[in-house]
Every structure is written in C-alpha cells, then in structure tokens.
Amino acid sequence: MRKSATVEQPTDGYLPERIATILVRSQHAGLVSKELATRIDYLLEIASLHTRNELLGLPGLGRLGVHRVERWMTFHGRRLRRNDESLDSVICRFGFRQACLEERVGRGRPVSVISPEERDKVLRGLGSYDMRA
C-alpha cells in the first residue's frame, strides 16, 4: 500500500516569518516599541492595533495573509481593532492583558507567538533596517 505524502499545515499558534516581518515593520509597531526584539515579543499587541482594512493595505499581505493573521489572533484569544475603535482604547487594554498573562503563566515574559526559528529569521532579516519608523 502506498501512503500519500502529507502536506504539513501551518499551526494557528505561530505566525509565519513573512507575516511577522510585515507586522514588525508596520506603522503601528512603533507605538509598541522602538526595539525590534520587543516588537517581536509583542506581535499580538501590534496586530491588534490594526483594522482589517489597514492590514489589507500593507504591501505583501493580501487577503490570505490577513485571514492567517485573524486565525492566529483568534487562536490566542485576540482580535483586530474594529473600524469604530480608537487606537487609544486598544492600547489601554495592553497592561491589563499582560497582567493576566503573567498571573496565568507565572512569569513576566509574553508567551511566544512565533516559533524560535522564525523569530531568529525575522531578527536577522530586519537587522539592517532602520527601526525608527
């Protein structure tokens, strides 16, 4: 009997390097941190600052990429910002979420939402970019 090759489906728990790179370089990422490593640690927060339309407007993301971001965020109990929701209201919830996470996980560092390998690729790939944006 011949077994067919299985295509590995991406897990919803981790975000692909290509999409993580786009989010780390997005306009709203600078509201979270100026440091690249910190931006990667807070990808969920960065993504939650965007509306669906804003993500669709990011070069290289497209509809499938936005759908992937939405599935990833849902997996982690988050969502995109609604069109009628201000950036301030989303940012104000960050501290509360982090406090709950620290209590639940028992540590002060955010849960990894990107695989360690992909995190390293993003850091290496963007290391030469000016992150003041």
Side-chain angles (χ1 to χ4, degrees), residues 53-110:
N53 288 336
E54 287 171 342
L55 288 181
L56 285 170
L58 293 177
L61 203 49
R63 291 185 190 275
L64 290 176
V66 171
H67 181 66
R68 178 72 174 100
V69 170
E70 289 173 321
R71 283 192 344 238
W72 169 72
M73 292 183 74
T74 300
F75 180 88
H76 290 286
R78 305 287 178 88
R79 64 172 174 78
L80 293 173
R81 182 171 57 93
R82 294 185 310 266
N83 289 330
D84 62 343
E85 197 171 18
S86 72
L87 283 169
D88 295 346
S89 66
V90 175
I91 291 170
C92 286
R93 290 194 305 264
F94 287 174
F96 175 73
R97 288 185 196 164
Q98 186 61 30
C100 289
L101 181 67
E102 289 172 7
E103 182 179 308
R104 186 175 45 190
V105 177
R107 55 191 171 124
R109 186 169 167 84

Side-chain angles (χ1 to χ4, degrees), residues 9 14 24 71-73 108 118 121 125:
Q9 295 295 323
Y14 287 132
V24 165
R71 283 192 344 238
W72 169 72
M73 292 183 74
E118 299 293 312
K121 287 180 186 176

Side-chain angles (χ1 to χ4, degrees), residues 107-120:
R107 55 191 171 124
R109 186 169 167 84
V111 173
S112 179
V113 293
I114 183 171
S115 72
E117 297 82 16
E118 299 293 312
R119 184 180 194 282
D120 290 342

